[in-house]
Amino acid sequence: MAHTSARQPHHPLWTRAFHGFNLVVLLVMAASGLQIYNANPVFGGRGGAVVPELFTLGGWLAGGRDWHFGFMGLYALNLGLWLALLVQRRRRRLGELGDLTALKASASAPRRRLSAHRIVYTLMLIVLAFSLISGLAMYKPAQFWWLTSLFALAEPLGVTSWQMLRVSHLATIPAMVLLVLAHVVLSWRVGGLRLLRAMTL
Amino acid sequence: MNRRQLLGLGLGGSSSLFLGGCALNGLSAAVGDATQPLNERIEALLQGQGKVPEFRPDKVEPAALLVNSFNGVPRLDPERYRLQVKGLVGRPLSLDLGALAALPQHTCVMRHVCVEGWAAVVAWSGVRLADVLRLAQLSPLGGYLLIDSADSYFESWDLASALHPQTLLATHMNGAPLPAANGAPVRLTAPIKLGYKQSKWVTGLRVTAQLGERRGTWEDQGYEWFAGL
Ligand code: HEM
Ligand code: HEM
């Protein structure tokens, strides 16, 4: 009995389900997005460097669009519901300004790690919500012109709103790669395998 | 969506975790077939009847407009050019360029968005497609418009999009006569559709009640049909 009592209780099923499904759908969105990228690279245009086929999904532009727009609904629904439930029921688990203070001022290393981790996974949720907004602005630039025009802020610098949109939508991928790495390392240091088990099956 | 497709979706999603995507490419068309009907319905609902905002004329980006063609650039003799309007119309038409120039002229400064990802602000001028269709006494039984081009490019549109006030049969681009590479003498333009819907070198319009087997040069290869913006 002694060793089982050391087992961490599971996180609620719903957050584990949203967490896992988000990861799967996100991979589909990223790989099919990179396929779309290759039809006309954001950097360099025609003749610009393309992403290796290994990281793409769809086989060609139309196939990439099949996956990207086929899964966008699932992705948005999953993320939206998860966010709503997290804010409502698990707000104390999300990062907040107090975490920034703790990061700077706390003398306890575990406390600082916990704060850093809360900030990292909360930032991921924000980045993902942003990918949805920038994606929508490019999917429907005529109907959602008000959304698209939000990205005109760099126009005085000669960056069109369209280019701004493409760059910021694409930036989801490098931003998420860095954040996921940090998230995995931090969650490992915070709770190791037990925490990973508690968050998965 | 039947059970098989659903299973395909589930397997497709989860196995990409391990396969990096490459083994799933064969499923792309099935994913499209399962999800496009709903997406297209939502797109059609989102698309209003009214105009979408336009750009200021000084915002045009002539250098950003790339030229795509699947079959070279046909050179049409402006003297012998005729636009045929047929099908479910009360009065079939054969219009020369003079007849088009006699109709009310409109300009639309819009963002031309290519499916490849690039976009360019362009000022297109010409007549409203709706004016031409009304001149031909469009039948209320019509549901779709088939568009034939001189280079044998083919397109089909829903009539609601064809009748949109910013859907033009353009004869001018950025204030000058349409260049041959951009579709001279007459091309289709609209701010509410992706570039591949906007046929160049348009020679024939046919109104039909139903869509046939062929839905468009690129659509028949696997691209989305509605392609709204
Ligand atoms: C793709 C992106 C990911 C996002 C957006 C994400 C987001 C999150 C969020 C928001 C939480 C907090 C959930 C809650 O407390 O209800 C969380 C927890 C957790 N995640 Fe992720 N995650 C991602 C990927 C991963 C990966 C790849 C792993 C592991 C290999 C992982 C392992 C964990 C663990 C162990 C926890 C529990 C942490 C704790 O409660 O302190 N996550 N994740
Ligand atoms: C609901 C969510 C999303 C929507 C509506 C959406 C929509 C779009 C659209 C319309 C494009 C084509 C842009 C163009 O023509 O240049 C695109 C491209 C792309 N998307 Fe998404 N997207 C979404 C989520 C995501 C996510 C989560 C990722 C990454 C993790 C992603 C990565 C990409 C990439 C890399 C491209 C290629 C960039 C380009 O060539 O401009 N998308 N997306």
Side-chain angles (χ1 to χ4, degrees):
Chain A
M1 259 345 241
H3 52 276
T4 44
S5 66
R7 231 186 103 178
Q8 181 142 351
H10 271 127
H11 288 53
L13 179 63
W14 58 264
T15 199
R16 283 184 281 144
F18 283 122
H19 185 256
F21 193 66
N22 174 68
L23 185 61
V24 173
V25 179
L26 190 62
L27 281 173
V28 170
M29 294 305 286
S32 57
L34 291 173
Q35 181 82 59
I36 299 176
Y37 179 97
N38 281 354
N40 182 276
V42 177
F43 300 108
R46 282 182 190 174
V50 295
V51 177
E53 211 181 308
L54 177 65
F55 300 111
T56 64
L57 172 61
W60 65 311
L61 175 57
R65 292 175 65 94
D66 279 336
W67 287 97
H68 210 66
F69 305 131
F71 274 71
M72 70 180 171
L74 287 177
Y75 165 76
L77 205 66
N78 186 70
L79 184 66
L81 288 174
W82 190 21
L83 272 174
L85 280 169
L86 280 176
V87 167
Q88 205 182 30
R89 307 217 179 142
R90 283 169 77 78
R91 188 177 298 164
R92 68 200 159 75
R93 311 275 311 190
L94 298 178
E96 56 190 22
L97 286 180
D99 287 312
L100 281 179
T101 325
L103 209 52
K104 268 188 265 170
S106 174
S108 146
R111 174 77 184 88
R112 286 202 303 271
R113 253 198 309 273
L114 196 67
S115 284
H117 193 203
R118 281 152 52 109
I119 291 170
V120 164
Y121 65 61
T122 306
L123 262 182
M124 281 200 284
L125 296 173
I126 294 169
V127 168
L128 291 184
F130 182 72
S131 80
L132 211 151
I133 292 171
S134 56
L136 215 51
M138 283 194 292
Y139 186 54
K140 291 280 156 260
Q143 309 306 333
F144 297 156
W145 54 269
W146 39 272
L147 201 56
T148 309
S149 62
L150 289 182
F151 291 80
L153 54 131
E155 238 158 45
L157 303 174
V159 182
T160 63
S161 49
W162 193 258
Q163 185 65 8
M164 183 76 183
L165 265 169
R166 291 191 76 187
V167 172
S168 31
H169 191 63
L170 175 70
T172 312
I173 293 186
M176 284 304 291
V177 167
L178 293 177
L179 286 166
V180 169
L181 279 178
H183 176 49
V184 171
V185 169
L186 279 167
S187 75
W188 190 261
R189 300 205 54 191
V190 167
L193 195 58
R194 277 189 303 134
L195 186 58
L196 187 61
R197 281 229 194 86
M199 193 58 199
T200 49
L201 297 173
Chain B
M1 190 156 72
N2 61 34
R3 199 184 284 173
R4 192 118 146 264
Q5 285 167 326
L6 200 68
L7 195 70
L9 278 181
L11 283 178
S14 48
S15 54
S16 84
L17 265 173
F18 312 107
L19 298 179
C22 29
L24 294 171
N25 292 347
L27 281 175
S28 305
V31 172
D33 288 346
T35 54
Q36 259 168 34
L38 178 63
N39 279 352
E40 290 187 315
R41 201 163 293 181
I42 295 171
E43 286 180 70
L45 276 178
L46 282 177
Q47 183 174 296
Q49 309 277 306
K51 289 188 170 191
V52 301
E54 297 189 12
F55 290 79
R56 284 205 322 259
D58 64 329
K59 293 272 182 189
V60 295
E61 304 162 303
L65 184 68
L66 306 183
V67 170
N68 273 335
S69 164
F70 89 120
N71 202 9
V73 175
R75 311 269 159 182
L76 303 186
D77 178 358
E79 296 296 316
R80 308 214 342 242
Y81 175 83
R82 296 289 182 279
L83 175 67
Q84 309 284 344
V85 189
K86 297 188 287 211
L88 293 174
V89 293
R91 193 158 74 103
L93 300 174
S94 175
L95 301 172
D96 60 17
L97 290 176
L100 284 176
L103 291 171
Q105 302 293 307
H106 299 271
T107 294
C108 178
V109 190
M110 54 166 252
R111 185 190 278 115
H112 183 101
V113 179
C114 179
V115 68
E116 294 169 359
W118 54 269
V121 177
V122 191
W124 302 110
S125 318
V127 301
R128 282 192 179 140
L129 180 54
D131 287 347
V132 171
L133 293 176
R134 285 197 190 104
L135 191 67
Q137 294 168 5
L138 176 65
S139 156
L141 299 180
Y144 299 92
L145 183 69
L146 312 185
I147 300 136
D148 295 304
S149 292
D151 61 340
S152 78
Y153 192 78
F154 177 69
E155 261 305 336
S156 59
W157 283 45
D158 61 295
L159 263 190
S161 301
L163 294 175
H164 190 276
Q166 285 159 308
T167 300
L168 304 181
L169 283 168
T171 51
H172 289 73
M173 181 179 101
N174 298 333
L178 199 57
N182 298 97
V186 176
R187 73 168 294 166
L188 198 57
T189 66
I192 53 169
K193 292 284 186 201
L194 277 173
Y196 65 81
K197 298 300 287 184
Q198 307 181 22
S199 303
K200 305 187 208 180
W201 310 292
V202 174
T203 53
L205 304 174
R206 284 177 288 151
V207 180
T208 63
Q210 243 127 33
L211 274 182
E213 271 295 293
R214 287 183 61 211
R215 306 201 306 164
T217 300
W218 289 113
E219 289 85 336
D220 293 344
Q221 316 245 343
Y223 283 87
E224 189 198 306
W225 174 73
F226 191 82
L229 288 176

